[in-house]
Amino acid sequence: MSVFMDLNLTFSADRSNMQQIIDTAAYLGFSTVAVNYTFEPSIKKKETVPSPKPVEDLIDQLPIVQGRSRPIRVLNRLTLVLSELSHFRPNLTEYANFDLLAVQPTTEKLFHAACTQLEVDVISVAMTEKLPFFFKRAPVNVALERGLAFEVSYTAAIRDATMRRYTIANAVSLVQACKGKNVLVSSAAMKPQELRGPYDIINLCSLMGLSDEEAKRSVSSICRSLLLHAETRKAASGVISTKKSCGEKPQQQEAPISRNTGEGDSGEGCAPAAKRLKSQLTD
Amino acid sequence: MTYAGLPVVIVSRCSGPKVVEVKMSSKTLLNCETSSLRHPNNRLSAHLEQLPFNYRATVLLPDCGCAPSQLDETLRSFQSFYLVRNLPLYELLDEHLGRGSVCGLSYKTRIDEDNCAFLKANGHLCLSLDKDSYELLGIEGKACKPKSSRYVVSVDLNDRSMAPGRPRYQRLFSGLTSRLPLKMEFLLAPASGDPDALQPLLSRYEWSRHTPEVSCRLLTHLSRPDPLTCDLRSYDPFDLLEWLGAVQADISCDNAADSFLSSLACPHPSAQSSQSSFLLEVRGLLLPQNIMTLVKQLSHFLERPLSPPWAAVTVHGFMDNLHVHERHFYTLVLFPDHAYSLHLATPAS
């Protein structure tokens, strides 16, 4: 099991509010959090993708996670609310500033495209309204194979009773469609009071139909695998390994990266595949 | 067969400790064992060894006519412990350390998030590792449930094959130095009572010494089970444990009609105590031998005149200990005739 993470804290310009949210998250036991910047692209308005604020500007000092001796890690995440497929421009350089990329589809066609084509890490499902489409097994299975995760945010359930009904109903149908695999549970907290501890979230997941194991994975292992997935997405689309051949030019070979594990599979005659050391990002 | 209305299984009926298991939930059983300290077959020490690292012990003495100064002294005589920072794991394999003379556990590591290490007094080194660390280390271990997420590597340092220079020792040493160089904060205590056993480590790393904190609280007019009408052993174990927990946590057991905070109450028949009661607490790194010393002192204390009719000891183990989910604390109720009743939770098999 890996450390507990909350990959959706809503960004607000109020510095003291962000400080309080991150302090609360560290107090509750989350070792990593991601600040979420929401962006709704459209061709007409010509808006630019927001750039993430550096952590030093966001808060004064990173608090120590309760019960451990390391400070909390703060990452940046971008959520694109899509209403048309043409709005999504893949491999934009601005996306590289963010550690995690999420997309929120609003129609069935977009959901299908997000599961099968789009190069993202998380598919965020709007919890606060009745979904206009149903989850179909086929695109969901493709998304699972690609290593994407489906996100469920629980804060709406805390705020309002009607939202609670919608959240639970949507979450239950999502869990049924993906059979409990690759479900990411996060808050979309705007205030520190809306955060809940990791074990409370695990208990809450039982309402959504997730088993104990799956619930624990949704706040720990799946978050970690998503960060690895984002790293491979940002990296070059291949692995280059060189082998010196006695004074001749070094031979270069490209090999496709495996999405799920992030390790390159080299071709013949290259250095054998080795387990790479845990990088800073995914510690 | 029922015990206070709950379904039970009687485990042993013949001469020896009488054990009764009461079902708490689908995964846990409450094990209630009654026996005597003088009985040759009593398994109290074996039970105490199951929780090798404890951080807190509380003693409740109801209707105590005299102040328990002797017990206070016993608690203060427990060994001090050391917090060593940034200790690399391979140092625990050091032959100068003396196998079995030092015991301790990693501090500020969560059992379900990080890698944890435990060095027991019998010379066993247990590492609880996540999947990546286990695969990096390369030593054989057992997978915990749920499978493939947590692995436990247990090494007996007293075994001949683990002597320095042997291949198994070399493999573990090279694993902890090159492949998985883990550094953690450790809480260590000398298992044999000799403080010099830790000297090799303390001279090389940053450390701080701590002594156990002892506190004593006086309780007046404590509402407790009436000793005149009913023997404590006949009370329902759940009600008794609930009430003991409420007293130790300083929760009011009046069950007043206008109080919405707590509806806990003392099990019936109960009476209000006319004498004062004492609640002693010690916090630190407590080993099973410390608890055994406390139990023996308590049984002597209960023999004296003006002593309470019974004494309850609750020992809390570190939450990030191995086998933590079911049995991270136990309660021992002692009686003047050297009889005892031990309540602990065990996993349902």
mmCIF file of all heavy atoms in Angstrom, chain B residues 308-342:
data_model
loop_
_atom_site.group_PDB
_atom_site.id
_atom_site.type_symbol
_atom_site.label_atom_id
_atom_site.label_comp_id
_atom_site.label_asym_id
_atom_site.label_seq_id
_atom_site.Cartn_x
_atom_site.Cartn_y
_atom_site.Cartn_z
ATOM 1 N N PRO B 308 -8.080 -2.448 47.402
ATOM 2 C CA PRO B 308 -9.325 -2.506 46.634
ATOM 3 C C PRO B 308 -9.757 -3.954 46.385
ATOM 4 O O PRO B 308 -8.949 -4.875 46.462
ATOM 5 C CB PRO B 308 -8.944 -1.817 45.308
ATOM 6 C CG PRO B 308 -7.476 -1.800 45.271
ATOM 7 C CD PRO B 308 -6.979 -1.841 46.657
ATOM 8 N N PRO B 309 -11.050 -4.155 46.079
ATOM 9 C CA PRO B 309 -11.541 -5.522 45.838
ATOM 10 C C PRO B 309 -10.997 -6.127 44.534
ATOM 11 O O PRO B 309 -10.993 -7.330 44.357
ATOM 12 C CB PRO B 309 -13.057 -5.367 45.769
ATOM 13 C CG PRO B 309 -13.269 -3.940 45.427
ATOM 14 C CD PRO B 309 -12.133 -3.174 46.004
ATOM 15 N N TRP B 310 -10.571 -5.293 43.608
ATOM 16 C CA TRP B 310 -9.976 -5.773 42.366
ATOM 17 C C TRP B 310 -9.211 -4.620 41.746
ATOM 18 O O TRP B 310 -9.335 -3.475 42.174
ATOM 19 C CB TRP B 310 -11.033 -6.305 41.393
ATOM 20 C CG TRP B 310 -12.200 -5.386 41.167
ATOM 21 C CD1 TRP B 310 -13.384 -5.401 41.830
ATOM 22 C CD2 TRP B 310 -12.296 -4.305 40.247
ATOM 23 N NE1 TRP B 310 -14.212 -4.411 41.380
ATOM 24 C CE2 TRP B 310 -13.569 -3.713 40.399
ATOM 25 C CE3 TRP B 310 -11.431 -3.769 39.283
ATOM 26 C CZ2 TRP B 310 -13.987 -2.645 39.647
ATOM 27 C CZ3 TRP B 310 -11.855 -2.698 38.535
ATOM 28 C CH2 TRP B 310 -13.127 -2.144 38.716
ATOM 29 N N ALA B 311 -8.399 -4.923 40.763
ATOM 30 C CA ALA B 311 -7.647 -3.888 40.046
ATOM 31 C C ALA B 311 -7.698 -4.225 38.558
ATOM 32 O O ALA B 311 -7.638 -5.397 38.187
ATOM 33 C CB ALA B 311 -6.202 -3.841 40.519
ATOM 34 N N ALA B 312 -7.825 -3.197 37.718
ATOM 35 C CA ALA B 312 -7.899 -3.421 36.270
ATOM 36 C C ALA B 312 -6.716 -2.741 35.603
ATOM 37 O O ALA B 312 -6.481 -1.557 35.808
ATOM 38 C CB ALA B 312 -9.204 -2.874 35.716
ATOM 39 N N VAL B 313 -5.985 -3.510 34.815
ATOM 40 C CA VAL B 313 -4.849 -2.975 34.063
ATOM 41 C C VAL B 313 -5.205 -3.036 32.587
ATOM 42 O O VAL B 313 -5.572 -4.100 32.092
ATOM 43 C CB VAL B 313 -3.575 -3.829 34.297
ATOM 44 C CG1 VAL B 313 -2.401 -3.241 33.566
ATOM 45 C CG2 VAL B 313 -3.289 -3.976 35.764
ATOM 46 N N THR B 314 -5.104 -1.920 31.903
ATOM 47 C CA THR B 314 -5.315 -1.920 30.446
ATOM 48 C C THR B 314 -4.005 -1.522 29.799
ATOM 49 O O THR B 314 -3.429 -0.498 30.140
ATOM 50 C CB THR B 314 -6.412 -0.927 30.048
ATOM 51 O OG1 THR B 314 -7.577 -1.227 30.770
ATOM 52 C CG2 THR B 314 -6.715 -1.027 28.568
ATOM 53 N N VAL B 315 -3.536 -2.347 28.887
ATOM 54 C CA VAL B 315 -2.266 -2.081 28.216
ATOM 55 C C VAL B 315 -2.550 -1.833 26.737
ATOM 56 O O VAL B 315 -3.204 -2.638 26.078
ATOM 57 C CB VAL B 315 -1.315 -3.288 28.374
ATOM 58 C CG1 VAL B 315 -0.003 -3.023 27.673
ATOM 59 C CG2 VAL B 315 -1.086 -3.593 29.836
ATOM 60 N N HIS B 316 -2.053 -0.704 26.244
ATOM 61 C CA HIS B 316 -2.246 -0.366 24.837
ATOM 62 C C HIS B 316 -0.946 -0.568 24.084
ATOM 63 O O HIS B 316 0.085 -0.018 24.465
ATOM 64 C CB HIS B 316 -2.646 1.114 24.700
ATOM 65 C CG HIS B 316 -3.954 1.428 25.330
ATOM 66 N ND1 HIS B 316 -5.133 1.501 24.615
ATOM 67 C CD2 HIS B 316 -4.282 1.691 26.610
ATOM 68 C CE1 HIS B 316 -6.109 1.802 25.430
ATOM 69 N NE2 HIS B 316 -5.640 1.921 26.643
ATOM 70 N N GLY B 317 -0.999 -1.349 22.999
ATOM 71 C CA GLY B 317 0.187 -1.534 22.182
ATOM 72 C C GLY B 317 0.278 -0.454 21.127
ATOM 73 O O GLY B 317 -0.694 0.239 20.843
ATOM 74 N N PHE B 318 1.436 -0.280 20.546
ATOM 75 C CA PHE B 318 1.599 0.697 19.467
ATOM 76 C C PHE B 318 0.685 0.315 18.316
ATOM 77 O O PHE B 318 0.626 -0.830 17.913
ATOM 78 C CB PHE B 318 3.052 0.699 18.977
ATOM 79 C CG PHE B 318 3.960 1.538 19.812
ATOM 80 C CD1 PHE B 318 4.669 0.986 20.856
ATOM 81 C CD2 PHE B 318 4.099 2.896 19.560
ATOM 82 C CE1 PHE B 318 5.502 1.765 21.631
ATOM 83 C CE2 PHE B 318 4.935 3.673 20.333
ATOM 84 C CZ PHE B 318 5.641 3.109 21.367
ATOM 85 N N MET B 319 0.007 1.327 17.768
ATOM 86 C CA MET B 319 -0.950 1.057 16.696
ATOM 87 C C MET B 319 -0.241 0.558 15.443
ATOM 88 O O MET B 319 -0.810 -0.167 14.646
ATOM 89 C CB MET B 319 -1.728 2.335 16.343
ATOM 90 C CG MET B 319 -2.753 2.715 17.348
ATOM 91 S SD MET B 319 -4.026 1.480 17.527
ATOM 92 C CE MET B 319 -4.816 1.574 15.950
ATOM 93 N N ASP B 320 1.014 0.983 15.242
ATOM 94 C CA ASP B 320 1.713 0.579 14.033
ATOM 95 C C ASP B 320 2.563 -0.644 14.261
ATOM 96 O O ASP B 320 3.635 -0.789 13.708
ATOM 97 C CB ASP B 320 2.565 1.744 13.513
ATOM 98 C CG ASP B 320 1.690 2.884 13.075
ATOM 99 O OD1 ASP B 320 0.837 2.641 12.219
ATOM 100 O OD2 ASP B 320 1.847 3.996 13.602
ATOM 101 N N ASN B 321 2.073 -1.534 15.092
ATOM 102 C CA ASN B 321 2.756 -2.785 15.383
ATOM 103 C C ASN B 321 2.267 -3.833 14.395
ATOM 104 O O ASN B 321 1.221 -3.696 13.801
ATOM 105 C CB ASN B 321 2.358 -3.226 16.790
ATOM 106 C CG ASN B 321 3.507 -3.826 17.523
ATOM 107 O OD1 ASN B 321 4.431 -4.323 16.914
ATOM 108 N ND2 ASN B 321 3.448 -3.766 18.824
ATOM 109 N N LEU B 322 3.020 -4.899 14.250
ATOM 110 C CA LEU B 322 2.541 -6.015 13.436
ATOM 111 C C LEU B 322 1.350 -6.634 14.150
ATOM 112 O O LEU B 322 1.238 -6.537 15.356
ATOM 113 C CB LEU B 322 3.634 -7.069 13.304
ATOM 114 C CG LEU B 322 4.711 -6.777 12.278
ATOM 115 C CD1 LEU B 322 5.768 -7.846 12.343
ATOM 116 C CD2 LEU B 322 4.125 -6.746 10.887
ATOM 117 N N HIS B 323 0.480 -7.271 13.438
ATOM 118 C CA HIS B 323 -0.720 -7.927 14.005
ATOM 119 C C HIS B 323 -1.544 -6.906 14.773
ATOM 120 O O HIS B 323 -2.041 -7.178 15.837
ATOM 121 C CB HIS B 323 -0.371 -9.065 14.979
ATOM 122 C CG HIS B 323 0.742 -9.919 14.501
ATOM 123 N ND1 HIS B 323 0.682 -10.654 13.344
ATOM 124 C CD2 HIS B 323 1.956 -10.134 15.013
ATOM 125 C CE1 HIS B 323 1.824 -11.281 13.187
ATOM 126 N NE2 HIS B 323 2.616 -11.001 14.166
ATOM 127 N N VAL B 324 -1.671 -5.743 14.205
ATOM 128 C CA VAL B 324 -2.280 -4.681 14.992
ATOM 129 C C VAL B 324 -3.795 -4.697 14.942
ATOM 130 O O VAL B 324 -4.454 -4.249 15.858
ATOM 131 C CB VAL B 324 -1.763 -3.306 14.515
ATOM 132 C CG1 VAL B 324 -2.450 -2.890 13.223
ATOM 133 C CG2 VAL B 324 -1.955 -2.258 15.558
ATOM 134 N N HIS B 325 -4.354 -5.241 13.881
ATOM 135 C CA HIS B 325 -5.764 -4.954 13.657
ATOM 136 C C HIS B 325 -6.676 -5.463 14.750
ATOM 137 O O HIS B 325 -7.652 -4.843 15.100
ATOM 138 C CB HIS B 325 -6.208 -5.522 12.309
ATOM 139 C CG HIS B 325 -5.498 -4.872 11.178
ATOM 140 N ND1 HIS B 325 -5.739 -3.573 10.814
ATOM 141 C CD2 HIS B 325 -4.513 -5.301 10.377
ATOM 142 C CE1 HIS B 325 -4.950 -3.261 9.813
ATOM 143 N NE2 HIS B 325 -4.199 -4.284 9.528
ATOM 144 N N GLU B 326 -6.358 -6.611 15.297
ATOM 145 C CA GLU B 326 -7.298 -7.134 16.292
ATOM 146 C C GLU B 326 -6.832 -6.846 17.703
ATOM 147 O O GLU B 326 -7.607 -6.470 18.558
ATOM 148 C CB GLU B 326 -7.443 -8.653 16.117
ATOM 149 C CG GLU B 326 -8.079 -9.051 14.809
ATOM 150 C CD GLU B 326 -7.087 -9.105 13.677
ATOM 151 O OE1 GLU B 326 -5.896 -9.225 13.959
ATOM 152 O OE2 GLU B 326 -7.518 -9.024 12.532
ATOM 153 N N ARG B 327 -5.542 -7.116 17.962
ATOM 154 C CA ARG B 327 -5.162 -7.094 19.375
ATOM 155 C C ARG B 327 -4.141 -5.998 19.663
ATOM 156 O O ARG B 327 -2.993 -6.291 19.915
ATOM 157 C CB ARG B 327 -4.583 -8.436 19.801
ATOM 158 C CG ARG B 327 -3.813 -9.113 18.741
ATOM 159 C CD ARG B 327 -3.480 -10.513 19.007
ATOM 160 N NE ARG B 327 -3.357 -11.171 17.719
ATOM 161 C CZ ARG B 327 -2.713 -12.283 17.503
ATOM 162 N NH1 ARG B 327 -2.150 -12.909 18.488
ATOM 163 N NH2 ARG B 327 -2.658 -12.808 16.305
ATOM 164 N N HIS B 328 -4.570 -4.761 19.591
ATOM 165 C CA HIS B 328 -3.622 -3.743 19.978
ATOM 166 C C HIS B 328 -3.817 -3.276 21.406
ATOM 167 O O HIS B 328 -3.161 -2.346 21.843
ATOM 168 C CB HIS B 328 -3.643 -2.563 19.001
ATOM 169 C CG HIS B 328 -4.982 -1.931 18.847
ATOM 170 N ND1 HIS B 328 -5.453 -0.976 19.695
ATOM 171 C CD2 HIS B 328 -5.955 -2.105 17.932
ATOM 172 C CE1 HIS B 328 -6.657 -0.598 19.305
ATOM 173 N NE2 HIS B 328 -6.985 -1.262 18.247
ATOM 174 N N PHE B 329 -4.747 -3.900 22.135
ATOM 175 C CA PHE B 329 -4.745 -3.651 23.571
ATOM 176 C C PHE B 329 -5.421 -4.806 24.280
ATOM 177 O O PHE B 329 -6.173 -5.570 23.675
ATOM 178 C CB PHE B 329 -5.408 -2.316 23.922
ATOM 179 C CG PHE B 329 -6.903 -2.318 23.872
ATOM 180 C CD1 PHE B 329 -7.644 -2.494 25.036
ATOM 181 C CD2 PHE B 329 -7.582 -2.135 22.692
ATOM 182 C CE1 PHE B 329 -9.027 -2.492 25.000
ATOM 183 C CE2 PHE B 329 -8.955 -2.136 22.651
ATOM 184 C CZ PHE B 329 -9.678 -2.305 23.811
ATOM 185 N N TYR B 330 -5.140 -4.954 25.569
ATOM 186 C CA TYR B 330 -5.808 -5.989 26.356
ATOM 187 C C TYR B 330 -6.061 -5.447 27.759
ATOM 188 O O TYR B 330 -5.417 -4.498 28.200
ATOM 189 C CB TYR B 330 -4.972 -7.278 26.401
ATOM 190 C CG TYR B 330 -3.562 -7.122 26.894
ATOM 191 C CD1 TYR B 330 -3.254 -7.163 28.261
ATOM 192 C CD2 TYR B 330 -2.513 -6.956 25.998
ATOM 193 C CE1 TYR B 330 -1.964 -7.039 28.698
ATOM 194 C CE2 TYR B 330 -1.216 -6.833 26.432
ATOM 195 C CZ TYR B 330 -0.941 -6.874 27.776
ATOM 196 O OH TYR B 330 0.349 -6.739 28.217
ATOM 197 N N THR B 331 -7.017 -6.078 28.434
ATOM 198 C CA THR B 331 -7.374 -5.662 29.798
ATOM 199 C C THR B 331 -7.229 -6.849 30.715
ATOM 200 O O THR B 331 -7.700 -7.942 30.406
ATOM 201 C CB THR B 331 -8.826 -5.139 29.836
ATOM 202 O OG1 THR B 331 -8.944 -4.076 28.916
ATOM 203 C CG2 THR B 331 -9.189 -4.642 31.221
ATOM 204 N N LEU B 332 -6.588 -6.607 31.826
ATOM 205 C CA LEU B 332 -6.362 -7.665 32.808
ATOM 206 C C LEU B 332 -6.992 -7.218 34.120
ATOM 207 O O LEU B 332 -6.669 -6.152 34.631
ATOM 208 C CB LEU B 332 -4.841 -7.814 32.966
ATOM 209 C CG LEU B 332 -4.288 -8.902 33.842
ATOM 210 C CD1 LEU B 332 -4.666 -10.241 33.294
ATOM 211 C CD2 LEU B 332 -2.767 -8.793 33.866
ATOM 212 N N VAL B 333 -7.896 -8.022 34.653
ATOM 213 C CA VAL B 333 -8.519 -7.684 35.940
ATOM 214 C C VAL B 333 -7.939 -8.641 36.975
ATOM 215 O O VAL B 333 -8.022 -9.863 36.818
ATOM 216 C CB VAL B 333 -10.056 -7.832 35.870
ATOM 217 C CG1 VAL B 333 -10.674 -7.395 37.180
ATOM 218 C CG2 VAL B 333 -10.611 -6.995 34.734
ATOM 219 N N LEU B 334 -7.356 -8.073 38.024
ATOM 220 C CA LEU B 334 -6.715 -8.892 39.056
ATOM 221 C C LEU B 334 -7.547 -8.903 40.322
ATOM 222 O O LEU B 334 -8.123 -7.888 40.696
ATOM 223 C CB LEU B 334 -5.327 -8.319 39.379
ATOM 224 C CG LEU B 334 -4.296 -8.431 38.267
ATOM 225 C CD1 LEU B 334 -3.153 -7.475 38.518
ATOM 226 C CD2 LEU B 334 -3.771 -9.844 38.173
ATOM 227 N N PHE B 335 -7.545 -10.056 41.005
ATOM 228 C CA PHE B 335 -8.313 -10.216 42.242
ATOM 229 C C PHE B 335 -7.365 -10.570 43.383
ATOM 230 O O PHE B 335 -6.250 -11.037 43.156
ATOM 231 C CB PHE B 335 -9.370 -11.305 42.053
ATOM 232 C CG PHE B 335 -10.350 -10.979 40.959
ATOM 233 C CD1 PHE B 335 -10.165 -11.465 39.674
ATOM 234 C CD2 PHE B 335 -11.445 -10.170 41.217
ATOM 235 C CE1 PHE B 335 -11.051 -11.160 38.654
ATOM 236 C CE2 PHE B 335 -12.332 -9.856 40.197
ATOM 237 C CZ PHE B 335 -12.143 -10.354 38.929
ATOM 238 N N PRO B 336 -7.815 -10.346 44.637
ATOM 239 C CA PRO B 336 -6.911 -10.573 45.778
ATOM 240 C C PRO B 336 -6.428 -12.013 45.907
ATOM 241 O O PRO B 336 -5.357 -12.260 46.447
ATOM 242 C CB PRO B 336 -7.752 -10.174 46.995
ATOM 243 C CG PRO B 336 -8.818 -9.306 46.470
ATOM 244 C CD PRO B 336 -9.087 -9.753 45.077
ATOM 245 N N ASP B 337 -7.189 -12.990 45.416
ATOM 246 C CA ASP B 337 -6.767 -14.384 45.581
ATOM 247 C C ASP B 337 -5.846 -14.846 44.454
ATOM 248 O O ASP B 337 -5.811 -16.025 44.111
ATOM 249 C CB ASP B 337 -8.014 -15.277 45.639
ATOM 250 C CG ASP B 337 -8.950 -15.023 44.460
ATOM 251 O OD1 ASP B 337 -8.668 -14.080 43.678
ATOM 252 O OD2 ASP B 337 -9.954 -15.740 44.321
ATOM 253 N N HIS B 338 -5.112 -13.922 43.859
ATOM 254 C CA HIS B 338 -4.180 -14.200 42.759
ATOM 255 C C HIS B 338 -4.884 -14.683 41.499
ATOM 256 O O HIS B 338 -4.237 -15.203 40.594
ATOM 257 C CB HIS B 338 -3.097 -15.217 43.170
ATOM 258 C CG HIS B 338 -2.121 -14.666 44.145
ATOM 259 N ND1 HIS B 338 -0.937 -14.062 43.789
ATOM 260 C CD2 HIS B 338 -2.183 -14.617 45.496
ATOM 261 C CE1 HIS B 338 -0.314 -13.660 44.868
ATOM 262 N NE2 HIS B 338 -1.038 -13.990 45.927
ATOM 263 N N ALA B 339 -6.183 -14.554 41.478
ATOM 264 C CA ALA B 339 -6.895 -14.923 40.256
ATOM 265 C C ALA B 339 -6.857 -13.729 39.308
ATOM 266 O O ALA B 339 -6.736 -12.583 39.739
ATOM 267 C CB ALA B 339 -8.338 -15.294 40.593
ATOM 268 N N TYR B 340 -6.982 -14.020 38.029
ATOM 269 C CA TYR B 340 -7.030 -12.920 37.064
ATOM 270 C C TYR B 340 -7.990 -13.276 35.945
ATOM 271 O O TYR B 340 -8.317 -14.446 35.735
ATOM 272 C CB TYR B 340 -5.647 -12.606 36.486
ATOM 273 C CG TYR B 340 -5.095 -13.647 35.530
ATOM 274 C CD1 TYR B 340 -5.447 -13.659 34.180
ATOM 275 C CD2 TYR B 340 -4.215 -14.625 35.984
ATOM 276 C CE1 TYR B 340 -4.947 -14.616 33.313
ATOM 277 C CE2 TYR B 340 -3.714 -15.581 35.116
ATOM 278 C CZ TYR B 340 -4.083 -15.567 33.797
ATOM 279 O OH TYR B 340 -3.588 -16.520 32.939
ATOM 280 N N SER B 341 -8.428 -12.231 35.254
ATOM 281 C CA SER B 341 -9.283 -12.460 34.101
ATOM 282 C C SER B 341 -8.770 -11.551 32.992
ATOM 283 O O SER B 341 -8.658 -10.346 33.158
ATOM 284 C CB SER B 341 -10.721 -12.176 34.525
ATOM 285 O OG SER B 341 -11.415 -11.502 33.582
ATOM 286 N N LEU B 342 -8.387 -12.158 31.887
ATOM 287 C CA LEU B 342 -7.745 -11.420 30.787
ATOM 288 C C LEU B 342 -8.716 -11.313 29.617
ATOM 289 O O LEU B 342 -9.270 -12.321 29.177
ATOM 290 C CB LEU B 342 -6.478 -12.169 30.358
ATOM 291 C CG LEU B 342 -5.713 -11.640 29.141
ATOM 292 C CD1 LEU B 342 -5.088 -10.309 29.455
ATOM 293 C CD2 LEU B 342 -4.629 -12.631 28.743
#
